[in-house]
């Protein structure tokens, strides 16, 4: 092996084992193709998010100008901002629920149906003191929702024994009504006293009134 070949091999060995910190830092700082792709994806999603937020804002503004509502006249529990407030579901006793019948204006106005408790304070004109449907406030009056009997206190109960299929379906319909309402909010449940199977069933109501709207 001549001198030129030895020099060539030494140069090659030196280039492989080069530990120059500047060169190592430059190599480490060089972005990989994968990191570039991830950065591009993040930038793309940021653009999409901005466009979506802008379109939503324009839609809400146009809806207010045309329909005076935020969502083109659509109303349900999904458009009720109160449903998006984090809150722990409360368990009421029947005595606690009775305090929310509107007699104390500082407390929210509550009613229950099939054990679920709803805040109906925004419907004070319907369920507050002096209104036609005040009997529902502070109680689980599921039976009265099915029979429309607003003149008998024995129908202000969660006892639904003896009701017809139509009356039971009416209770389910009202339950869906409160559950999907734009302004009323479900707060929790009420612990209901078990109905004694030997207790007399409330008699039919002869003067049922129109259901509340």
């Amino acid at each position: 092996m001549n001198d030129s070949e030895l020099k060539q091999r030494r140069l090659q060995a030196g280039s492989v084992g080069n530990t120059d910190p500047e060169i190592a830092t430059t190599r480490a700082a060089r972005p990989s193709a994968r990191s570039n792709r991830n950065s591009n994806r993040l930038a793309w999603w940021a653009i999409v998010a901005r466009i979506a937020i802008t379109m939503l804002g324009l839609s809400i503004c146009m809806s207010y100008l045309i329909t005076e509502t935020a969502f083109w006249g659509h109303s349900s529990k999904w458009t009720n901002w109160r449903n998006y407030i984090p809150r722990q579901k409360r368990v009421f006793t029947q005595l606690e629920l009775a305090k929310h019948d509107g007699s104390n204006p500082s407390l929210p106005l509550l009613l229950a149906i099939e054990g679920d408790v709803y805040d109906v304070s925004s419907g004070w004109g319907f369920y507050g003191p002096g209104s036609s449907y005040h009997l529902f406030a502070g109680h689980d009056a599921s039976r009265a929702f099915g029979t429309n009997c607003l003149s008998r206190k024995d129908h202000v109960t969660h006892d639904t024994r003896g009701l017809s299929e139509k009356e039971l379906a009416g209770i389910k319909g009202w339950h869906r009504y409160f559950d999907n309402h734009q302004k009323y909010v479900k707060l929790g449940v009420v612990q209901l006293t078990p109905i004694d199977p030997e207790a007399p069933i409330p008699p039919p109501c002869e003067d049922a009134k129109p259901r509340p709207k």
Side-chain angles (χ1 to χ4, degrees), residues 2-143:
N2 55 38
D3 292 341
S4 61
E5 290 179 347
L6 286 173
K7 290 180 180 179
Q8 185 67 27
R9 289 192 178 185
R10 287 171 184 166
L11 289 173
Q12 290 177 351
S15 63
V16 171
N18 195 335
T19 57
D20 190 326
E22 293 185 0
I23 296 176
T25 303
T26 303
R27 289 175 179 173
R30 186 180 300 165
S32 65
R34 178 177 297 179
S35 64
N36 285 335
R37 286 196 298 269
N38 291 338
S39 298
N40 291 337
R41 289 195 188 100
L42 290 174
W44 186 83
W45 280 113
I47 294 172
V48 171
R50 292 193 190 99
I51 293 174
I53 293 172
T54 301
M55 294 299 292
L56 178 61
L58 289 174
S59 176
I60 292 175
C61 292
M62 291 296 295
S63 178
Y64 265 114
L65 289 174
I66 298 173
T67 67
E68 297 184 353
T69 64
F71 298 100
W72 300 96
H74 175 72
S75 61
S76 71
K77 67 178 181 180
W78 306 114
T79 59
N80 184 355
W81 60 268
R82 300 171 186 83
N83 285 320
Y84 297 96
I85 299 176
R87 56 168 62 90
Q88 185 176 3
K89 296 301 181 183
R90 181 177 171 184
V91 178
F92 294 83
T93 65
Q94 287 180 271
L95 289 177
E96 288 173 332
L97 182 61
K99 296 177 182 178
H100 295 267
D101 63 350
S103 56
N104 185 349
S106 65
L107 295 177
L109 187 65
L110 309 181
L111 61 77
I113 181 169
E114 294 189 305
D116 287 338
V117 178
Y118 295 90
D119 185 340
V120 295
S121 300
S122 58
W124 198 280
F126 293 107
Y127 303 105
S131 67
S132 300
Y133 309 114
H134 178 236
L135 64 89
F136 291 107
H139 305 283
D140 185 321
S142 295
R143 187 180 193 89

Side-chain angles (χ1 to χ4, degrees), residues 108-187:
L109 187 65
L110 309 181
L111 61 77
I113 181 169
E114 294 189 305
D116 287 338
V117 178
Y118 295 90
D119 185 340
V120 295
S121 300
S122 58
W124 198 280
F126 293 107
Y127 303 105
S131 67
S132 300
Y133 309 114
H134 178 236
L135 64 89
F136 291 107
H139 305 283
D140 185 321
S142 295
R143 187 180 193 89
F145 275 113
T147 63
N148 301 321
C149 189
L150 309 183
S151 58
R152 296 177 60 101
K153 291 185 178 180
D154 55 358
H155 277 242
V156 184
T157 175
H158 58 283
D159 183 1
T160 58
R161 294 175 302 156
L163 296 185
S164 66
E165 292 296 325
K166 182 178 180 181
E167 289 170 330
L168 291 173
I171 296 174
K172 295 294 183 184
W174 276 110
H175 198 165
R176 288 192 299 271
Y177 168 79
F178 287 107
D179 200 45
N180 293 309
H181 201 277
Q182 185 186 16
K183 296 181 179 179
Y184 303 153
V185 181
K186 181 179 176 180
L187 298 184

